[in-house]
Amino acid sequence: MGFRPFVYRLARQLGLAGRVRTDEAGVTSEAYGPASALDLLERRLPIERPAAARVETMRAEPIPPEPLAAFEIEESGAAAERRVAIPPDLATCGDCLRELRDPADRRHRYPFTNCTSCGPRFTIALGVPYDRPATTMAGFRMCPACAGEYADPADRRFHAQPNACPACGPRVELLDRAGAGIACPDPVARAAEALRSGAVVAVKGVGGYHLACDATSPEAVRTLRARKRREEKPLAVMVADLPAARALAELTPAEEALLDSVERPIVLCRRRPGAALAPEIAPGSPLVGLLLAYAPLHHLLLGDAGRPVVMTSGNLSEEPIAYLDEDARARLSGIADLFLCHDRPIASRCDDSVARVVAGRPLVMRRARGFVPRPVRVAPRLSRPVLAVGAQLKNACCLARGEEATLGPHVGDLDSLETYQAFEGAVARLEEFLAFRPEVVACDLHPLYLSTRYARERAAALSAPLVQVQHHHAHAAAAMAEHGLPGPVLALAWDGTGLGSDGTAWGGELLLAWRGRFERLATFRPLPLAGGDLAVRQPWRIALAALLDAFGEEAPVDRLPLFASVPAEELRVVRRMLAAGLHSPPAHGAGRAFDAAGALSLERAHSRFEGQVALALDAAFDPGEPEAYPFEIAAGAGGVEELDLRPLWRALCGDVLAGTSAGRVSARFHRALSRAGAELIRRACGRLGDLPVVLTGGCLQNARLAEGILGGLDGSLQVYLHGEVPPGDGGIALGQAVVADAVASGRSE
Ligand SMILES: [Zn+2]
Ligand SMILES: [Zn+2]
Ligand SMILES: [Zn+2]
């Protein structure tokens, strides 16, 4: 799709004869002509490829001459079509953008302009092969002009499945909150006007509905937050283009490239001081999530609005994003004043992806639109098809076969019927698209995750083995698979919480990992979580546990401002629970240490979403502070080393009592944790020799921590961060698949 016509045009331009086709191997081209022209073809192919195409390997070999008159595109067989199944959705290309803005073009201001280099793909696909009748464009009959483009191999729209124009394609319409159509000559211009005057507009996009409002207006943002019941989580902001992004954020070249990439993720950037953005967009954070317009409808809307626009998922807090028209109208009518809709159905829900630059390279934190369903190449290859269902939070599934692992779109936390149904739907759709029949089903060790229950049922129905994979081993294996590391590796998996093979909660692990097994080398000294998961939303409970661990009964609880905001009776009860070990399972999670440090230094007893206090601690960081808190590494039970943070808690507590700024406390804490991570790795290398190192787990989304650990390691070590596979639970299914394949094959290496 797009690549064959590109080869065709290039070969013709060079005066070559021959053919190009897709087959099991990928794209094969046989070209005949003078050696110099053949040489040019070989050199120009990878350089001038379409923006959306990736050339992974290329091989050239001489073939016997054939007397051909011209260069042609060969139709391909069904098997080949399936192999290059369905591409991800692609951001509007430069050529289409020019047409969109050209008053003389027949697609001037047409919101569904696309070509073989851009446009919707995965989100409009209904089945395979990916061909117009199997997309949601099937109901639109191409006009003669569009049909001509579609049939002409020399045209940019040759076999562009969603090809359309104002005469034959989808149309936008504007509805009021009751669903009644509003007659107007230009619904997009009218919606932009409404945005400028403070309205909340539901916009039907590529993979679902967004809720949009004026990002420069505090009042509009407050209204959106109140109606959506999303009180504090940061909101993404869409801008028209890179110059508009530069006006709002201080961007590095790597961040600009990521923003402008064909995947168009939301990119976490450093907000420019004084940027024209409502502070309510990301309260208390120096960062802002920006994304560039990626569909023609966005380009028109942003252009007409003439300002940055909040573009957040169309849902009530925690629900899956709305993508079906009736459902969206039902669920969003209490939030949006207007609906900017269209009649091109969305077949698959797909959120915006989220990424950031860490250590100079892109790191995907939420993998969805633009990436799904492009497979991740894994090495070594799997010996059988594995369905891996992920964990409970930030769920995404993975279907892995041979050298390719396809991660499903981000679904969210599996704690409601709606998200669970979205999860089931995502698995079923990918299985159908890939003609995938699992021979092994993989899931987490945790028996109560909905994904685990689903996996058990599926395995039984398929009579396939079920392999339960330890959470942090799966994180490690995801990083190994992404980087083609066969193992053994040292895997620093710092995370929130995952069930360990000893039945306790793990999360601050250093593992020696192979695909089929692992050894636990080091972990965090455990802290009791009073009230279990409740402690995640109430980080004061973890802070209290850390202080009691560090000081014993002498802990200066009464003098610390954090605890003044906790009701005295609650404090007494929790203290008693901790002393008696009641409902206080020990947890080794690294994430909890960040929560406790943030709670103590920022006087934040509660967290509205997981990791909120840790993010606030990160935001407070004072780069001018060079010191780090002390810590110890002790020999623990069973030869597992323990990172002992009691000295850190004592010093941090002293700082807070002495009135040291939160910025300095944050810096000393982050530097200590970075040093501890590097020190654990160095010690392991001292015992085992130098091994490749992977840094994984949800905490490694923290750029400061990841870069700090990297900086503390010897440059001669091979250290790998995640790239297009999320380090958090959104990438864990890939690791589950790889481990399950090794286990089911009886390989322990
Ligand atoms: Zn295009
Ligand atoms: Zn047309
Ligand atoms: Zn995890």
Side-chain angles (χ1 to χ4, degrees), residues 272-411:
R272 196 177 278 288
L277 278 179
E280 288 81 356
I281 295 219
S285 173
L287 303 180
V288 58
L290 294 183
L291 81 166
L292 302 192
Y294 56 82
L297 181 62
H298 299 147
H299 285 285
L300 296 172
L301 187 66
L302 270 284
D304 291 354
R307 63 191 66 190
V309 168
V310 167
M311 277 284 183
T312 185
S313 307
N315 54 9
L316 266 180
S317 206
E318 315 300 330
E319 287 177 355
I321 184 170
Y323 73 109
L324 299 172
D325 298 324
E326 285 199 8
D327 178 54
R329 256 166 256 159
R331 281 163 60 197
L332 306 181
S333 61
I335 308 177
D337 299 303
L338 287 172
F339 287 78
L340 184 60
C341 296
H342 57 75
D343 55 355
R344 186 178 71 198
I346 299 172
S348 286
R349 153 199 287 135
C350 205
D351 274 280
D352 291 322
S353 296
V354 181
R356 73 188 304 181
V357 171
V358 177
R361 304 186 53 172
L363 177 111
V364 175
M365 299 160 71
R366 180 167 94 186
R367 197 174 189 282
R369 183 196 42 79
F371 293 93
V372 176
R374 189 172 75 205
V376 178
R377 303 284 278 193
V378 294
R381 58 184 287 124
L382 276 74
S383 46
R384 71 205 65 216
V386 183
L387 164 66
V389 297
Q392 175 86 347
L393 301 179
K394 304 184 171 63
N395 183 280
C397 64
C398 178
L399 280 62
R401 174 170 61 191
E403 295 168 337
E404 294 192 338
T406 305
L407 280 156
H410 161 89
V411 164

Side-chain angles (χ1 to χ4, degrees), residues 391 471-472 475 495-498 697-698 727-729 732:
H471 192 92
H472 305 97
H475 275 309
D495 205 16
T497 307
D729 288 2
I732 203 167

Side-chain angles (χ1 to χ4, degrees), residues 153-356:
D155 194 277
R156 210 170 95 237
R157 296 192 164 92
F158 175 62
H159 284 194
Q161 306 307 346
N163 190 27
C165 78
C168 67
R171 286 156 206 259
V172 276
E173 59 174 342
L174 199 62
L175 307 177
D176 66 17
R177 62 194 324 168
I182 298 174
C184 60
D186 190 335
V188 177
R190 181 78 177 272
E193 206 180 289
L195 285 174
R196 278 201 306 270
S197 57
V200 174
V201 181
V203 181
K204 183 175 176 182
V206 172
Y209 276 75
H210 281 120
L211 288 164
C213 75
D214 179 353
T216 65
S217 159
E219 207 185 317
V221 178
R222 275 199 298 270
T223 303
L224 172 60
R225 279 198 182 279
R227 293 188 192 164
K228 189 174 148 75
R229 285 182 236 152
R230 180 170 170 131
E231 282 139 334
E232 288 173 28
K233 264 191 185 176
L235 299 167
V237 174
M238 182 179 274
V239 291
D241 50 21
L242 268 184
R246 287 188 198 113
L248 300 180
E250 292 165 344
L251 301 172
T252 64
E255 284 166 343
E256 293 197 354
L258 187 56
L259 274 167
D260 201 27
S261 66
V262 71
E263 293 90 0
R264 288 288 200 285
I266 295 168
V267 179
L268 295 190
C269 320
R270 181 153 285 272
R271 187 169 48 192
R272 196 177 278 288
L277 278 179
E280 288 81 356
I281 295 219
S285 173
L287 303 180
V288 58
L290 294 183
L291 81 166
L292 302 192
Y294 56 82
L297 181 62
H298 299 147
H299 285 285
L300 296 172
L301 187 66
L302 270 284
D304 291 354
R307 63 191 66 190
V309 168
V310 167
M311 277 284 183
T312 185
S313 307
N315 54 9
L316 266 180
S317 206
E318 315 300 330
E319 287 177 355
I321 184 170
Y323 73 109
L324 299 172
D325 298 324
E326 285 199 8
D327 178 54
R329 256 166 256 159
R331 281 163 60 197
L332 306 181
S333 61
I335 308 177
D337 299 303
L338 287 172
F339 287 78
L340 184 60
C341 296
H342 57 75
D343 55 355
R344 186 178 71 198
I346 299 172
S348 286
R349 153 199 287 135
C350 205
D351 274 280
D352 291 322
S353 296
V354 181
R356 73 188 304 181

Side-chain angles (χ1 to χ4, degrees), residues 106 143 146 164-165 167-168:
R106 70 190 188 93
C143 68
C146 287
C165 78
C168 67

Side-chain angles (χ1 to χ4, degrees), residues 374-466:
R374 189 172 75 205
V376 178
R377 303 284 278 193
V378 294
R381 58 184 287 124
L382 276 74
S383 46
R384 71 205 65 216
V386 183
L387 164 66
V389 297
Q392 175 86 347
L393 301 179
K394 304 184 171 63
N395 183 280
C397 64
C398 178
L399 280 62
R401 174 170 61 191
E403 295 168 337
E404 294 192 338
T406 305
L407 280 156
H410 161 89
V411 164
D413 301 350
L414 295 187
D415 44 19
S416 69
L417 183 63
E418 288 79 15
T419 46
Y420 183 73
Q421 284 169 341
F423 156 78
E424 277 188 319
V427 173
R429 199 171 286 275
L430 277 185
E431 283 185 358
E432 190 198 329
F433 286 175
L434 301 175
F436 191 95
R437 194 185 151 80
E439 291 177 20
V440 176
V441 182
C443 65
D444 198 272
L445 274 186
H446 204 299
L448 299 181
Y449 286 176
L450 289 182
S451 54
T452 304
R453 293 188 193 177
Y454 170 87
R456 196 168 284 137
E457 285 164 22
R458 278 304 301 278
L462 289 160
S463 302
L466 175 75

Side-chain angles (χ1 to χ4, degrees), residues 87-107:
D89 303 292
L90 306 167
T92 308
C93 74
D95 289 333
C96 286
L97 205 50
R98 266 188 294 282
E99 292 173 350
L100 195 66
R101 290 174 180 158
D102 178 1
D105 194 276
R106 70 190 188 93
R107 290 189 176 85

